[in-house]
Amino acid sequence: MATTRTDPLTLEVVELIGTVVARYYEEYDRAAAAHSLTGAQARVLGLLSVEPTPMRKIAQKLKCEPSNVTGIVDRLETRGLVERRPDPVDRRVKLAAATEKGARTALQLRESLGFAREPLAELSHAERAVLRDLLRRMLGVDAVGADVEP
């Protein structure tokens, strides 16, 4: 029997993915609120804690308007969590970057998110690798390589 978008298994998987995403965002918003941040502010701070990023690229990653990102970065900058810097490659471009305080806050946020981490910890390394590879395949992202149990 061919798989369709309406077969019961596909519908159940779609529903489960939706539930996981909703729970993740609920927990993320709660963790953000504990730091007096909105969910959007926390997501931007998380991105910037990895690497300084042009505002336009932040907007692309978050799938929102650049003007929204400007407002978010303004509020984070006022709190001392983010700063704007000239891009060393193109001085016409401004990069947003997490300050030391912002990087600490982003780390505390990541560490407080148990919903995704705790259930995943119950899976073996091999099961997590299979799940990762299936999610990458769904998203059209090439797998980096096979993982084996250490």
Side-chain angles (χ1 to χ4, degrees):
M1 179 173 135
T3 301
T4 67
R5 286 182 273 183
T6 58
D7 73 277
L9 180 57
T10 298
L11 292 175
E12 182 180 6
V13 169
V14 168
E15 183 69 27
L16 289 168
I17 290 171
T19 301
V20 167
V21 168
R23 283 190 190 171
Y24 175 79
Y25 278 114
E26 287 170 11
E27 181 170 332
Y28 202 87
D29 288 344
R30 275 194 305 277
H35 292 275
S36 301
L37 298 169
T38 66
Q41 290 170 339
R43 284 185 276 287
V44 168
L45 186 58
L47 286 172
L48 297 179
S49 71
V50 175
E51 66 179 334
T53 307
M55 309 278 261
R56 187 170 304 282
K57 190 172 181 182
I58 298 168
Q60 290 170 343
K61 285 185 176 188
L62 296 180
K63 300 189 183 349
C64 69
E65 292 297 316
S67 60
N68 292 347
V69 172
T70 299
I72 292 168
V73 170
D74 286 346
R75 288 184 287 283
L76 292 170
E77 190 173 34
T78 298
R79 294 194 44 202
L81 300 172
V82 166
E83 64 187 8
R84 288 177 169 91
R85 310 177 179 159
D87 185 331
V89 177
D90 184 349
R91 305 292 263 169
R92 297 169 297 172
V93 176
K94 287 284 187 193
L95 300 176
T99 62
E100 189 176 315
K101 178 182 176 184
R104 278 193 315 270
T105 301
L107 179 62
Q108 290 168 352
L109 273 164
R110 276 192 297 276
E111 289 175 348
S112 69
L113 296 174
F115 171 71
R117 241 186 357 261
E118 290 166 11
L120 287 173
E122 294 179 18
L123 300 177
S124 70
H125 179 82
E127 288 170 327
R128 290 191 311 273
V130 168
L131 178 58
R132 179 209 52 212
D133 292 345
L134 289 171
L135 292 169
R136 283 181 174 171
R137 186 170 158 197
M138 285 177 64
L139 295 171
V141 177
D142 290 333
V144 173
D147 271 5
V148 293
E149 187 77 34

